[in-house]
Amino acid sequence: MSNEEKLREYLRRVTDDLRRSRQRVRELTEPEPVAIVAMSCRLPGGVNTPEDLWRLLADGRDAIGGFPADRGWDLAALHHPDPERAGTTYARNGGFLSGVDRFDAGFFGISPREAQAMDPQQRLLLETSWEAVERAGIDPSGLRGQAVGVYAGVAYSDYTSAAEPARELEGYLGSGSAGSVASGRISYVLGLEGPAVTVDTACSSSLVSLHLAVRALRDGECDLALAGGATVMATPGMFIEFSRQRGLAPDGRCKAFADTADGTGWSEGAGMLLLERLSDARRNGHPVLAVVRGSAVNQDGASSGLTAPSGPAQQRVIERALADARLLPGDVDAVEAHGTGTTLGDPIEAQALLAAYGAQRDRPLWLGSVKSNLGHTQAAAGVAGVIKMVLAMRNGLLPRTLHVDEPSTRVDWSAGAVRLLTDPVPWVPGRAAVSAFGMSGTNAHVILEAVADEEPGDDAGPAMPWVASAASEEALAEQVEELQKLSRVRRVDVAYTLATGRAALDYRTVVGQDVIRRAGDGRVVFVFPGQGSQWTGMGLELWDSSPVFAESMRACAEALRPYTGWSLREILAGPLDDVDVVQPALFAVMVSLAALWRSYGVEPAAVVGHSQGEIAAAYVAGALSLEDAARVVALRSRALRPIAGRGGMVAVPFADVDPGGLSIAAVNGPDSTVLAGDVEAVE
């Protein structure tokens, strides 16, 4: 080797060592990214899922409507066009949640009396927390005793003041309206033992909650964290208060950064994120929807007024969030602004964004506000913005901001490359930021980063049964309806998550082409096909991965041993050609699959068998013992005359399907014989 080659090799080794050292320094000094592994929401306009929200955004619709008629508000006396009229509001539109009085208390183990005393915000936080955990493919009941944190933003506690408290609710009113219980109740119901913190910084509450949850995960205080917020207006007090300040848009719509902006529009909502350290999410196989790269929180301090926003403070919180994320301003593509539509707040925010993000950019920073669609959801505003931007990342589109005649002339847009999203913009997702500024003066800024979509579109594999369960028949029907709406999913992934990552509740069904559902009542029928479904290696993977399946297979092998003399596992691994081998092996696999389904909580209302599958059906129905069933299938496979063993009382109806129609094989009691006769239905 020449000296030149030696030098080149030496420089290559030094460069590689330096690269590895720098990587190690980054790993030791940079905080680990935190993954958003699930999202859930309840928002105005019938938005009950993130998918619903995306349809609203993509269609360019808003969710603003008239005052609700189910709150006990005196609507006739509440409205008056004069802003000076005490006790009234000149605005009579907003974004309201429907059905806030609906709550499945029994599902969460809460008595009707206690549920009536609970603030609807607590109810919504419970529902969205449960849903977020399930959407991550985690059984919520399996988190009991684990270090899971809860950070909930709540800014109202006026529920019990909305009406004269009923005497029978005494004893529950304190916990029902206490802000501290909003987070604590989630931890109590789910048995979570990480930090439980309720945050009230007014309109920045849920984004501050996200910031605190990220810090807790980085510091090892918890391994999973729920972060979000909720607002329900039990009284019209905020409309009345802001009417005196002339801070409301008369039509209830937020015209964020528009020249015609004329005030904010109050609305309600709830949203919850489930967070996990990125490395843990990857290792645990949880979906990674986006990553929180950095966040920051600060205060206005002594600004021009207690509730007046501070531009310099907003600029500083942005700069701190960028520093936390180890990013430059040009690394961020878009900002979901606070954008309330007020003539005071929007220009201050726009100038802060121009100063922090707008200079020395080679492309525009896109600016939008989901408040133009939903109104100002207050304590839920920050989490609503996060959900919007994660959805935008996953759909490759920045939705337009509604109700903009032209960008506000109160803002010097020429001071930097910040552009308002007056039209949808296709987006190769990179990074986006979300702002929330509280009336309290507490500001929050979070920077999100897109991740590669690890889930391919719809697969062309075989149809897979989807196991659904709920706490009531009505909820089960709704869940089946929602499952049928799913698109762009791998059916096998949905099947796996439903079977292993959700709680097994009392009302259950199976959706899919591989399982027959009993007509009329939706109950499950197990079908045992008999001859012709065997293949080399069938069942071996389940034998290795499922203790329930393996235990059943071993029991079948023991019952078959007097008649076969061979190892069932070895037979499954080899060719399945001989009928005296195939039928006992199929019998064992079929009854073991039935045991596996039952372990997931799927109980058959009836069983159906064809050919020797009738024997498996008879055993699963309780008509034959395992020993008698094994004897029958072994002798049958040798082409000997089938011998029915002593039967027991049938636990599950079963029928034999043959080409001539439907017939029933009934075992009515001890020592009875298996009989067949044509019938019209399973009784």
Side-chain angles (χ1 to χ4, degrees):
M1 180 182 295
S2 66
N3 290 337
E4 184 178 345
E5 290 172 333
K6 291 179 180 179
L7 178 60
R8 189 180 296 113
E9 177 63 20
Y10 173 76
L11 291 175
R12 186 190 63 77
R13 289 200 307 270
V14 169
T15 302
D16 289 345
D17 290 343
L18 181 60
R19 186 181 297 113
R20 283 192 294 269
S21 297
R22 286 177 174 172
Q23 176 64 28
R24 183 58 178 159
V25 168
R26 281 196 297 269
E27 292 173 354
L28 292 173
T29 60
E30 292 185 8
E32 181 178 6
V34 170
I36 299 173
V37 298
M39 308 185 297
S40 61
C41 61
R42 301 285 187 275
L43 295 165
V47 171
N48 293 315
T49 65
E51 291 77 17
D52 290 342
L53 177 58
W54 181 250
R55 283 189 286 270
L56 183 84
L57 296 169
D59 292 346
R61 295 181 286 115
D62 74 34
I64 306 305
F67 283 176
D70 60 355
R71 307 286 173 92
W73 299 358
D74 186 349
L75 300 183
L78 181 59
H79 175 259
H80 197 281
D82 182 3
E84 296 298 326
R85 178 85 168 223
T88 66
T89 171
Y90 61 82
R92 50 183 170 183
N93 291 293
F96 297 97
L97 296 175
S98 59
V100 292
D101 57 334
R102 296 180 58 196
F103 178 61
D104 191 348
F107 180 88
F108 294 105
I110 297 170
S111 71
R113 283 178 58 210
E114 185 174 7
Q116 189 176 348
M118 283 174 59
D119 190 316
Q121 296 170 143
Q122 291 190 19
R123 305 175 197 168
L124 287 167
L125 289 169
L126 265 179
E127 291 173 349
T128 53
S129 294
W130 181 282
E131 184 176 325
V133 173
E134 282 200 330
R135 288 176 74 98
I138 302 170
D139 178 356
S141 62
L143 294 180
R144 190 166 298 275
Q146 295 190 27
V148 180
V150 179
Y151 296 83
V154 175
Y156 285 117
S157 58
D158 58 353
Y159 174 63
T160 55
S161 66
E164 190 67 29
R167 186 180 297 269
E168 63 269 17
L169 300 182
E170 290 179 353
Y172 292 114
L173 294 172
S175 59
S177 60
S180 60
V181 177
S183 57
R185 192 184 294 274
I186 298 169
S187 296
Y188 171 76
V189 169
L190 299 182
L192 312 178
E193 298 184 1
V197 179
T198 302
V199 176
D200 181 1
T201 58
C203 302
S204 59
S205 296
S206 59
L207 207 62
V208 173
S209 296
L210 173 58
H211 168 79
L212 295 176
V214 168
R215 289 299 190 272
L217 285 164
R218 287 180 179 177
D219 293 342
E221 291 184 339
C222 53
D223 298 321
L224 283 169
L226 288 158
T231 288
V232 175
M233 291 177 284
T235 72
M238 283 297 287
F239 287 93
I240 295 171
E241 181 73 12
F242 265 64
S243 287
R244 300 296 80 75
Q245 298 179 21
R246 291 176 171 79
L248 292 179
D251 63 357
R253 289 170 169 82
C254 295
K255 306 166 186 68
F257 305 105
D259 206 40
T260 54
D262 54 359
T264 197
W266 292 132
S267 65
E268 306 172 323
M272 192 62 68
L273 310 171
L274 184 63
L275 310 169
E276 190 173 21
R277 288 181 289 272
L278 180 60
S279 59
D280 291 343
R282 299 289 196 202
R283 184 176 64 255
N284 294 328
H286 297 152
V288 178
L289 306 181
V291 164
V292 179
R293 273 293 299 267
S295 65
V297 169
N298 75 354
Q299 236 285 337
D300 288 343
S303 59
S304 60
L306 173 64
T307 61
S310 166
Q314 292 178 14
Q315 182 177 344
R316 286 193 296 270
V317 80
I318 292 169
E319 292 168 349
R320 287 184 59 184
L322 285 167
D324 184 57
R326 310 302 201 265
L327 295 173
L328 298 173
D331 296 327
V332 175
D333 305 324
V335 170
E336 169 63 18
H338 191 57
T340 60
T342 61
T343 55
L344 173 65
D346 280 10
I348 290 174
E349 180 177 8
Q351 293 299 158
L353 288 167
L354 285 161
Y357 279 115
Q360 299 178 345
R361 296 183 64 91
D362 58 0
R363 66 192 193 286
L365 177 82
W366 294 108
L367 179 64
S369 175
V370 73
K371 292 179 181 66
S372 69
N373 304 91
L374 301 174
H376 192 342
T377 53
Q378 304 176 76
V383 70
V386 170
I387 294 173
K388 170 192 170 180
M389 295 314 297
V390 172
L391 292 169
M393 287 176 172
R394 300 187 68 77
N395 287 277
L397 181 73
L398 292 167
R400 72 184 180 99
T401 294
L402 308 184
H403 315 306
V404 177
D405 56 336
E406 62 175 311
S408 174
T409 55
R410 300 179 182 90
V411 177
D412 181 10
W413 298 101
S414 66
V418 176
R419 300 291 180 268
L420 193 56
L421 281 161
T422 54
D423 292 297
V425 172
W427 183 29
V428 178
R431 301 181 186 93
V434 181
S435 290
F437 309 131
M439 184 174 61
S440 64
T442 300
N443 308 306
H445 196 72
V446 172
I447 298 174
L448 307 173
E449 186 172 76
V451 293
D453 192 346
E454 297 178 337
E455 298 185 15
D458 192 13
D459 60 346
M464 300 292 293
W466 290 355
V467 183
S469 71
S472 66
E473 291 184 2
E474 295 79 5
L476 184 62
E478 290 178 6
Q479 187 177 138
V480 170
E481 184 178 348
E482 290 301 317
L483 286 171
Q484 291 170 341
K485 294 178 182 177
L486 291 181
S487 61
R488 291 187 69 249
V489 296
R490 282 173 46 88
R491 291 188 292 269
V492 65
D493 291 342
V494 176
Y496 176 81
T497 298
L498 289 172
T500 64
R502 306 194 76 173
L505 304 174
D506 291 339
Y507 292 83
R508 303 164 189 171
T509 190
V510 177
V511 183
Q513 298 175 7
D514 286 345
V515 178
I516 298 176
R517 291 197 301 162
R518 190 171 183 177
D521 59 14
R523 290 183 290 169
V524 175
V525 176
F526 283 180
V527 180
F528 299 89
Q531 185 74 13
S533 58
Q534 70 274 6
W535 70 92
T536 299
M538 67 175 185
L540 287 177
E541 185 175 348
L542 273 177
W543 197 325
D544 293 332
S545 62
S546 169
V548 172
F549 184 85
E551 180 181 358
S552 177
M553 290 292 285
R554 284 191 287 268
C556 290
E558 188 64 28
L560 288 165
R561 192 180 306 281
Y563 315 105
T564 60
W566 35 254
S567 164
L568 187 55
R569 185 181 176 92
E570 291 177 359
I571 289 299
L572 293 182
L576 296 169
D577 299 324
D578 299 331
V579 68
D580 60 336
V581 171
V582 168
Q583 292 197 0
L586 275 176
F587 166 81
V589 170
M590 286 189 291
V591 301
S592 298
L593 285 172
L596 182 60
W597 276 112
R598 281 175 152 168
S599 74
Y600 288 141
V602 180
E603 286 291 341
V607 292
V608 177
H610 171 64
S611 183
Q612 63 92 23
E614 180 184 349
I615 304 167
Y619 164 64
V620 171
L624 295 174
S625 68
L626 181 57
E627 291 73 18
D628 285 339
R631 179 180 177 220
V632 172
V633 75
L635 295 176
R636 185 186 190 282
S637 68
R638 298 176 186 175
L640 296 178
R641 186 174 182 270
I643 301 175
R646 288 183 299 169
M649 186 63 68
V650 178
V652 181
F654 70 97
D656 177 52
V657 177
D658 61 34
L662 181 67
S663 63
I664 186 168
V667 179
N668 298 317
D671 301 315
S672 61
T673 305
V674 177
L675 303 173
D678 292 336
V679 294
E680 295 181 356
V682 176
E683 296 293 333

